[in-house]
Amino acid sequence: MSLPHAILTALLEKPSSGLELTRRFDRSIGYFWSATHQQIYRELGRLESDGLIRALPSEQPARGQKKSYEVLPAGRAELARWTAASQDPKPHRDPLLLRLRAAAVVGTAGLEADLRRHLELHEKQLAEYREIDKRDFPPGRDGAEDRLRHLVLQAGIDLETFWTQWLRRALADFAELPETRPARPARPRA
């Protein structure tokens, strides 16, 4: 499971509280690995009880004070082990592709509008990634850490570019389809 490793990565970049981690997931890590506030807090508890992270001592002990966490040597070792381990690619599962396949047998009603909506969403995400690229990776930022982070962003840009191109092609093909109606149900055999 990668959520603990995403949290270890984020905490090695900067010790944080659960709330700060949630915000960081929303702004960066969440683009490629999402987690809810509850999942993050639950995982922080597991990582702490496993001895991979610890809560930093609070400057002012107070009830209800937010805890900030840092990674312990065992957590760094686990992240290094996981990073070095081989993993097979995961098969891509997308309901839109399955819906297109189903449309071949039940008809295309409503699908074109949703393809347009998907295109709009992917264009918006692509624009956001390109803005992050301009803002966070100007020419000359080519240290090892920056290059690796930029590779992650470039993967997002490439994926969104793929989806926008594919959706435009799908919509063009869709426009050339003859009017489709739901297929007739097969007659039961006696």
Side-chain angles (χ1 to χ4, degrees), residues 52-102:
L52 301 179
I53 65 171
R54 73 174 179 133
L56 292 169
S58 178
E59 295 173 10
Q60 303 172 358
R63 191 168 176 220
Q65 179 86 11
K66 70 177 180 179
K67 288 191 221 178
S68 285
Y69 296 89
E70 71 177 354
V71 177
L72 295 171
R76 181 180 282 275
E78 167 54 24
L79 188 60
R81 182 209 59 77
W82 178 78
T83 301
S86 177
Q87 290 186 346
D88 292 336
K90 299 282 185 218
H92 184 74
R93 295 171 52 169
D94 191 301
L96 179 62
L97 298 176
L98 183 56
R99 289 172 54 221
L100 279 170
R101 179 76 182 248

Side-chain angles (χ1 to χ4, degrees), residues 5-23:
H5 300 100
I7 291 173
L8 288 170
T9 299
L11 290 176
L12 278 169
E13 291 173 344
K14 179 183 176 195
S16 304
S17 68
L19 180 59
E20 291 165 337
L21 280 172
T22 299
R23 289 179 180 149

Side-chain angles (χ1 to χ4, degrees), residues 3 10 18 29 45 48 78 90 111 119 123 126 188 190:
L3 180 56
I29 293 172
E48 188 174 26
E78 167 54 24
K90 299 282 185 218
L111 202 47
L119 177 58
E123 286 173 335
L126 179 57

Side-chain angles (χ1 to χ4, degrees), residues 119 158-170:
L119 177 58
D158 291 349
L159 284 169
E160 294 304 329
T161 299
F162 160 78
W163 278 112
T164 56
Q165 291 172 350
W166 181 84
L167 283 160
R168 284 187 192 108
R169 183 174 62 232

